[in-house]
Amino acid sequence: MMAVKQASAARVQRDLTAIAAGQRMAGAEPTPADMDAARAVLEHRLTADEAVSQRLADIDRAHGISR
């Protein structure tokens, strides 16, 4: 099993700032849920695939979509 290096709090904050800036440059304001998901990935609490799956499930629930 490969050890995962934990990102420093400063590194996570820099990356979150860059993510938010990229979203804004693309014309979309990041939501708190988006930033929470990004933080979870950056802190190695979720994989990117898990974060995307969770966000899509949240959106489906909010709009009454069942798959």
Side-chain angles (χ1 to χ4, degrees), residues 6-17 39 42-43:
Q6 291 297 326
S8 71
R11 173 64 187 263
V12 168
Q13 191 55 50
R14 275 194 310 271
D15 289 350
L16 288 171
T17 300
R39 180 180 296 281
L42 292 170
E43 292 175 346

Side-chain angles (χ1 to χ4, degrees), residues 9-51:
R11 173 64 187 263
V12 168
Q13 191 55 50
R14 275 194 310 271
D15 289 350
L16 288 171
T17 300
I19 289 166
Q23 284 290 104
R24 290 181 183 117
M25 286 189 291
E29 187 65 26
T31 67
D34 294 334
M35 297 308 289
D36 289 344
R39 180 180 296 281
V41 171
L42 292 170
E43 292 175 346
H44 305 286
R45 292 183 283 118
L46 289 176
T47 66
D49 287 342
E50 290 167 336

Side-chain angles (χ1 to χ4, degrees), residues 37 46-61:
L46 289 176
T47 66
D49 287 342
E50 290 167 336
V52 169
S53 292
Q54 285 181 6
R55 287 295 291 131
L56 290 175
D58 292 344
I59 291 166
D60 286 351
R61 272 191 302 280

